[in-house]
């Protein structure tokens, strides 16, 4: 699980699918679009979202505030006790 933050008017560059992983997202704040297999769904604070294994998905922030999401996935994409490298602004955050 983790928190995903998308700045105002930003969007993920392309949809990604994970063949063996299902995902649940909870919108902590903001509003936007969740595209699942080419279909756009409007999302806003307080909504819970489900993405089935193999469904290509991407987020876009359509609001003027950050879009903040809490996400859960099973099975995890990274090994137990490990983390996938992340980018945050100019600083790269990676496992030790």
């Amino acid at each position: 699980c983790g928190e995903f933050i998308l700045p105002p008017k930003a969007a993920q560059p392309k949809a990604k699918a994970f063949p063996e992983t299902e995902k649940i997202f909870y919108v902590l704040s903001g509003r936007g679009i969740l595209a699942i297999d080419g279909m756009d769904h409007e999302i806003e604070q307080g909504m819970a979202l489900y993405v089935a294994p193999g469904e290509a998905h991407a987020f876009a922030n359509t609001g003027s505030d950050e879009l903040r999401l809490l996400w859960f996935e099973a099975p995890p994409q990274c090994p137990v006790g490990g983390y996938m490298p992340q980018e945050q602004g100019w600083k790269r955050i990676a496992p030790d």
Side-chain angles (χ1 to χ4, degrees):
C1 71
E3 184 177 17
F4 175 70
I5 301 171
L6 199 57
K9 309 299 180 193
Q12 291 182 297
K14 66 178 187 173
K16 290 186 180 179
F18 301 92
E20 297 177 10
T21 300
E22 60 186 341
K23 296 185 178 237
I24 295 174
F25 298 89
Y26 180 76
V27 184
L28 296 169
S29 64
R31 60 186 332 105
I33 300 279
L34 168 58
I36 300 177
D37 285 340
M39 266 183 93
D40 289 347
H41 305 276
E42 292 188 22
I43 61 172
E44 63 183 24
Q45 181 177 353
M47 294 179 89
L49 318 163
Y50 175 77
V51 178
E55 291 184 321
H57 58 285
F59 289 94
N61 184 341
T62 59
S64 55
D65 297 316
E66 287 182 334
L67 176 60
R68 294 178 53 234
L69 302 154
L70 185 60
W71 59 266
F72 303 87
E73 63 181 31
Q77 288 296 304
C78 54
V80 174
Y83 297 92
M84 295 173 64
Q86 301 292 317
E87 298 278 339
Q88 184 175 11
W90 57 268
K91 183 178 178 186
R92 181 171 175 78
I93 301 170
D96 293 336

